[in-house]
Amino acid sequence: MFLDKDFLLKNECSKILFHEYAENQPIIDYHCHLDPREIYEDQPFKTITQAWLGGDHYKWRLMRANGVPERLITGDGEDYEKFLAWVETIEGCIGNPLYVWTHLELKRIFGIDEQLTKKNASIIWEKANQKIQEETMSTRNLIKQMNVKVICTTDDPVDSLEYHEKLKEENAFHVYPTFRPDKAINIQLEEYFSYIDTLSEKSTVKITCYEELVYALEKRMDYFSTMGCKLSDHSFSALHPFDYDRTQLSELFSKRMRREELTKEEVYYYQFGLAVDLMCLYEKKGWTAQLHLMATRNNNQKLYQAYGPDAGADAMGDGQIESGISRLFDELDKRDTLPKTILYSLNPKDYVPLVALMGCFQSETRGKIQFGSAWWFNDTYSGIRYQLTTLAEGGVLANFVGMLTDSRSFLSYPRHEYFRRILCQLVSEWVEEGQLPDDRQYLGKIISKVAYENANHYFGF
């Protein structure tokens, strides 16, 4: 039956593993893009459209693919018109995880069991908007309702973190920043100069050379630590291998600050070198580094010029990344400064090479180098199964830190349920095939660890 209590669970073993060991575990969302200000202000939503479609480029891409005009996606169309456009789109998206997520959100958050169709759209619109007026539908109450214990937002080094400071008084859950210095790394961009000025102001370090840049970033890390930060994050389309040379890095930084253009090779060298220096600092502070790889950004320049980044014009790179990560890890390992690291690739062709490479740099820290969850275009039914299978076959699945939302939506937490159901079903299939013993208690402990306990221990929350 559609989304019944045992959906995706095809045998008795999977049902026991999910209902007894995974279903009621708390959620640690260690990577997302929620706005801490919206959490602090406990903002209510006026309509389901605002909660569902605001900022959600996953949905925007599907709506464009369905021929929906832009005014009903990112434009000034009425909320009900946008809602109807999404309903018409999702009706055709069978097999897409958003079809399941959409209905799972209706069921778990709004208490609506009906299938969403054009015929009953007006009824569901009324029911959802009536529910959204309740106090339980504010941002903080949604977080509590979904049993979320930790949220790690994504924050620039120059962010004030004022709302993280204010949220320290919240006891039901914790909101921590994540240090994402992409703007300090993207030296080739024209806005780099104004960014350095802002970083100088925020860090109270007058940045005139590369060494001062690194010092300024470290001072901001120290401030992030006072707000409970335990993670950093980087987005690289690719990372190219080089030999580290601080003198050359200093020369490249000075050249760029003279407003001279850098060659593509020089940009790659700078990005690799600064990554080395930052990773050393993460290890020093006991942070976990996240490396998100192979996303190509703003492919549609017309869309980017009209609506800015994160509008649905990002895609999947198909280059090579293993050699750059290998060189980075080797440089850090020689110095004994390799931090705990989670590797994500947007291209599943990289899964097996990354899992193989991880095994070269593991240490006495259990699960030190992690293979990140199926990300973005891959957090589908088959994508999640492939990521789990690849990790299990090449590493230690029992050490995996599990699922994240990577979302800008407060309604996205049922994705953790989706992941947990797939995990339990996959493990139960290995039992049926005779690859695992039919020991529910033994397997249940592993399921509990992947669902919640590993992340809590690994990040030190």
Side-chain angles (χ1 to χ4, degrees):
M1 297 292 291
F2 180 55
L3 295 190
D4 68 2
K5 69 182 183 67
D6 292 327
F7 85 94
L8 296 180
L9 307 174
K10 304 173 187 176
N11 55 51
E12 190 62 24
C13 179
S14 64
K15 294 172 186 177
I16 290 173
L17 292 177
F18 177 73
H19 293 302
E20 295 187 12
Y21 295 97
E23 184 174 18
N24 296 317
Q25 291 286 350
I27 289 173
I28 291 181
D29 197 19
Y30 58 89
H31 175 69
C32 74
H33 298 275
L34 295 180
D35 186 341
R37 177 178 177 176
E38 292 181 0
I39 299 173
Y40 173 73
E41 293 179 348
D42 204 20
Q43 295 181 357
F45 300 102
K46 293 182 179 179
T47 68
I48 188 174
T49 301
Q50 294 180 11
W52 243 357
L53 299 179
D56 194 339
H57 53 78
Y58 279 63
K59 294 186 177 76
W60 297 349
R61 287 169 64 94
L62 290 183
M63 294 170 79
R64 292 186 186 116
N66 203 44
V68 174
E70 197 65 35
R71 74 177 189 86
L72 299 181
I73 303 173
T74 59
D76 59 0
E78 296 294 328
D79 277 5
Y80 184 60
E81 288 184 285
K82 291 181 177 181
F83 172 78
L84 290 177
W86 173 242
V87 172
E88 183 176 356
T89 298
I90 204 63
E91 276 196 292
C93 291
I94 59 171
N96 191 300
L98 277 164
Y99 187 90
V100 176
W101 295 347
T102 293
H103 287 90
L104 200 56
E105 289 164 9
L106 283 175
K107 189 178 183 73
R108 297 287 182 260
I109 298 173
F110 292 92
I112 296 173
D113 287 323
E114 293 100 317
Q115 179 186 350
L116 182 62
T117 66
K118 286 180 287 185
K119 290 182 179 179
N120 67 0
S122 61
I123 297 173
I124 291 181
W125 168 262
E126 293 297 332
K127 285 184 177 180
N129 287 335
Q130 183 177 3
K131 176 71 174 178
I132 222 164
Q133 303 306 314
E134 297 178 7
E135 186 178 342
T136 57
M137 294 298 291
S138 68
T139 54
R140 289 205 212 187
N141 283 320
L142 277 171
I143 292 167
K144 296 172 188 175
Q145 176 185 334
M146 298 308 296
N147 200 19
V148 180
K149 297 302 180 186
V150 174
I151 294 171
C152 294
T153 58
T154 302
D155 310 276
D156 191 277
V158 302
D159 287 348
S160 70
L161 307 187
E162 61 177 305
Y163 293 101
H164 294 87
E165 172 70 34
K166 294 175 179 179
L167 282 164
K168 280 186 173 183
E169 298 178 7
E170 174 62 66
N171 294 318
F173 56 86
H174 301 284
V175 180
Y176 301 125
T178 296
F179 188 84
R180 183 155 173 166
D182 289 355
K183 291 181 180 178
I185 286 179
N186 289 326
I187 194 171
Q188 75 279 12
L189 300 180
E190 184 60 34
E191 54 265 32
Y192 186 77
F193 309 108
S194 61
Y195 182 77
I196 294 299
D197 290 340
T198 305
L199 180 59
S200 290
E201 178 185 348
K202 293 290 185 178
S203 65
T204 67
V205 175
K206 184 173 176 59
I207 302 174
T208 62
C209 63
Y210 179 77
E211 289 73 14
E212 290 166 347
L213 167 68
V214 175
Y215 178 55
L217 289 168
E218 183 175 15
K219 285 194 68 176
R220 295 304 295 168
M221 288 181 208
D222 291 338
Y223 177 59
F224 271 57
S225 288
T226 67
M227 296 296 116
C229 180
K230 300 285 188 180
L231 296 102
S232 66
D233 185 28
H234 294 261
S235 175
F236 290 108
S237 295
L239 191 62
H240 300 267
F242 293 97
D243 291 328
Y244 179 89
D245 186 326
R246 175 61 76 94
T247 301
Q248 188 170 350
L249 285 169
S250 298
E251 291 172 354
L252 289 176
F253 180 79
S254 296
K255 177 180 178 181
R256 184 60 175 147
M257 293 307 290
R258 295 193 298 269
R259 282 178 159 68
E260 297 180 32
E261 293 293 326
L262 301 184
T263 66
K264 186 176 291 187
E265 188 82 359
E266 288 173 329
V267 170
Y268 291 155
Y269 186 92
Y270 172 83
Q271 292 176 336
F272 177 87
L274 183 52
V276 169
D277 286 326
L278 290 173
M279 294 281 276
C280 289
L281 292 173
Y282 302 153
E283 195 280 333
K284 175 182 174 183
K285 298 178 189 307
W287 288 7
T288 296
Q290 297 178 96
L291 302 182
H292 284 89
L293 306 158
M294 299 303 286
T296 60
R297 306 286 181 177
N298 307 316
N299 291 275
N300 184 329
Q301 282 296 299
K302 180 180 178 182
L303 193 63
Y304 173 70
Q305 294 299 327
Y307 305 105
D310 304 316
D314 300 338
M316 183 187 300
D318 60 358
Q320 302 298 315
I321 60 170
E322 191 271 349
S323 60
I325 300 300
S326 174
R327 184 69 192 89
L328 174 67
F329 281 10
D330 191 47
E331 178 68 34
L332 294 164
D333 202 49
K334 286 188 298 186
R335 307 175 181 207
D336 293 322
T337 58
L338 176 60
K340 290 186 290 186
T341 304
I342 306 176
L343 296 173
Y344 309 83
S345 178
L346 202 52
N347 194 325
K349 76 173 179 58
D350 300 319
Y351 283 13
V352 174
L354 287 180
V355 170
L357 181 64
M358 284 165 44
C360 303
F361 294 96
Q362 300 289 13
S363 69
E364 294 179 2
T365 301
R366 181 176 296 177
K368 178 176 181 177
I369 311 300
Q370 291 272 333
F371 180 44
S373 64
W375 167 45
W376 202 342
F377 301 118
N378 299 303
D379 55 2
T380 62
Y381 178 78
S382 60
I384 291 171
R385 288 172 62 95
Y386 180 50
Q387 187 272 343
L388 289 169
T389 302
T390 304
L391 176 55
E393 293 177 345
V396 184
L397 180 60
N399 293 338
F400 180 38
V401 293
M403 184 60 171
L404 48 82
T405 62
D406 187 36
S407 176
R408 291 168 171 78
S409 170
F410 287 92
L411 304 185
S412 63
Y413 287 108
R415 296 180 193 180
H416 282 261
E417 176 186 341
Y418 184 68
F419 165 82
R420 291 171 181 181
R421 288 177 179 271
I422 293 171
L423 170 65
C424 293
Q425 174 57 33
L426 182 61
V427 171
S428 76
E429 291 173 18
W430 296 338
V431 172
E432 288 188 323
E433 294 164 356
Q435 297 192 64
L436 292 176
D438 191 3
D439 185 335
R440 314 291 169 81
Q441 187 175 10
Y442 158 65
L443 297 174
K445 288 180 180 178
I446 293 176
I447 296 296
S448 296
K449 288 167 64 178
V450 174
Y452 170 73
E453 295 164 17
N454 284 346
N456 197 42
H457 176 74
Y458 182 80
F459 298 116
F461 294 130

